[in-house]
Amino acid sequence: MLKQPSKKYRPFPPVELPNRQWPGRTLTHAPRWCSVDLRDGNQALAVPMNVSQKLELFHALVKCGFKEIEVGFPSASNTEFTFNRRLIEEKRAPDDVWLQVLVQAREDLIERTFESLVGAKRAIIHMYNSTSPAQRRVVFGKSKDEIKVIAVNGAKLIKERLPRLAGTEVMLQYSPESFSATEVEYAKEVSEAVMDVWQPTPERKMILNLPDTVEVAMPNVYADQIEWICRNIKNRDSLIVSLHTHNDRCTGVAATELGLLAGADRVEGTLFGNGERTGNLDIVTVALNLYMHGIDPKLDFTDLNLVREVYERCTGMTVPARHPYGGELVFTAFSGSHQDAIKKGLAEWSRGGREHWDVPYLTIDPTDIGREYREVIRVNSQSGKGGVAYLLESEFGIELPKEMQREFGPIANDEVDRLGREVSGAELKAMFWREYVERDFPWQLEGFETESRNGVVKCRARLLRDGKPVEFSGEGNGPLAALVHGFSTIGEPRFEIANYSEHALSSGEEASAISYIQIKRADGKSRWGAGVDTNIELASVRAVLSALNRG
Ligand code: KIV
Ligand code: ZN
């Protein structure tokens, strides 16, 4: 890298916009959305989608609630043309969905585009030409006036052909491509020249799409550019001002959100931000950002996992694990303190009584978008006892007493650390079973009977110690007290029961009870044990033996 980048790169000039309004505004409603997955997204794929993949993604987009879908660039290839024809001829688009098609301001391409649209119920014809200084100089070698002529001629060619689409409701869209790198005054001049041809009215608006084709500045600059256009362009009320941001500086979402504050009405983007280079705007994120502020986004991502699945299958792209809302890990906490806070927050929420969602570390309720609480906590060596306890309880109904969590948490963590990877709930349960429930050495239970008379419980225990039979009797005010007493009669070191709890285990093979017992020895040392049995009394005897066996 250069020591003095200023020798090669220059700062982006700010927009002269005194008294800018957008910083003081807040978003209150959803914009009109247009998906460009099948066009901008598709043209960014190493292997573009075939017709059946495009059809599957089209239907998924309709299901999400998109009413405007850029279906392709029909004059660019046979696949694109055929896809558009199939949508129309097979009546695949619901009547309220606009099929948008992209075309350059060139006669042959415009001609073919019109052919592709015959019979459509609703269509948006989207014409574009590049307007930035670099494009004018490098690609076209044309002056500002000559570039404006390209736009005006294209607009005229489209207008002349409109009668051919007699049965179709048509909306016209113009994009000064690379708008954000274009002088705002010149972008206005070209756009107004196109408006002069198309003659939009408040009743019959045209879409003016202002692309951040390549992000060249911070999102506040884009917002200034949008507000500048909204304030200065003629007949603003005859326009639907549309945003189309890319993500080169990783601020595509921010640019769109600020652009909406600046007065735009409409947003173009793709699912999960697929698109050229670093991608188009991620519409899922902007929509769910609105949702998390209580605004109906007018798009439905109730089953975001399914949307992601279809997207990945059709495009061959993968949604990164940390991608907002849709990524595999975004509702997963690994750190112990996060897990603990989430567990407490979810418990508070499920008790009811709170009007608004306010769970630490979770901006929205994962279940609203089809993700599961179960996904929220997984365990690795960074996890605390909270995560361990949550998994055992949520997956297996094992409700470890708080104090036992303090004992088992570090044991589990050591084991996970040794494995050097994340562990599943089933693996944690197996660790718990190994550590407590299956501890049958040196003491093993052979039989345990009790009888109770006048409030005194007498027990008879038949055990193995180191594989050799041992029998004893004991008495107390309950079976456990009798067992403890019995041990003292055979010269075992004294201990007492410090903690005891039990509950039934969930259905299935383990239709049984689990008992957790903490014993305290005369030397002050304490140990937890756990026992499982179909008989609750035997479960607690096993728990005592487990604690003794743990030394
Ligand atoms: O990024 C862009 O400028 C485009 C235009 C064709 C709208 O995709
Ligand atoms: Zn684009």
Side-chain angles (χ1 to χ4, degrees), residues 39-40 102 126 128 175 177-178 209 211 213 244 246:
R39 196 279 299 172
D40 219 351
L102 183 73
H126 178 189
Y128 77 99
S175 292
E177 200 212 300
S178 56
N209 189 45
T213 305
H244 177 110
H246 281 257

Side-chain angles (χ1 to χ4, degrees), residues 116 197 254 262 288 370:
S116 82
V197 179
L288 292 175

Side-chain angles (χ1 to χ4, degrees), residues 404 407 432 435-448 450 459 461 463-464 472 478-488 490 492-502 513-521 525-533 535-551:
M404 193 176 192
E407 186 183 271
F432 182 78
E435 180 63 34
Y436 296 96
V437 180
E438 292 164 0
R439 285 283 190 140
D440 58 2
F441 194 82
W443 292 105
Q444 205 176 337
L445 180 67
E446 291 278 281
F448 185 80
T450 53
C459 77
L463 309 174
L464 296 178
F472 58 77
L480 282 183
L483 178 69
V484 171
H485 174 243
F487 269 111
S488 70
I490 56 163
E492 276 298 302
R494 289 195 167 272
F495 67 92
E496 62 185 55
I497 306 288
N499 259 301
Y500 171 76
S501 69
E502 73 194 22
I514 184 162
S515 165
Y516 314 95
I517 278 174
Q518 187 187 32
I519 60 168
K520 201 166 181 185
R521 298 181 190 282
K525 279 196 191 137
S526 62
R527 281 283 179 278
W528 280 92
V532 174
D533 202 293
N535 174 313
I536 188 64
E537 191 171 284
L538 292 183
S540 56
V541 172
R542 289 183 190 282
V544 171
L545 297 185
S546 147
L548 287 173
N549 286 338
R550 294 187 61 245

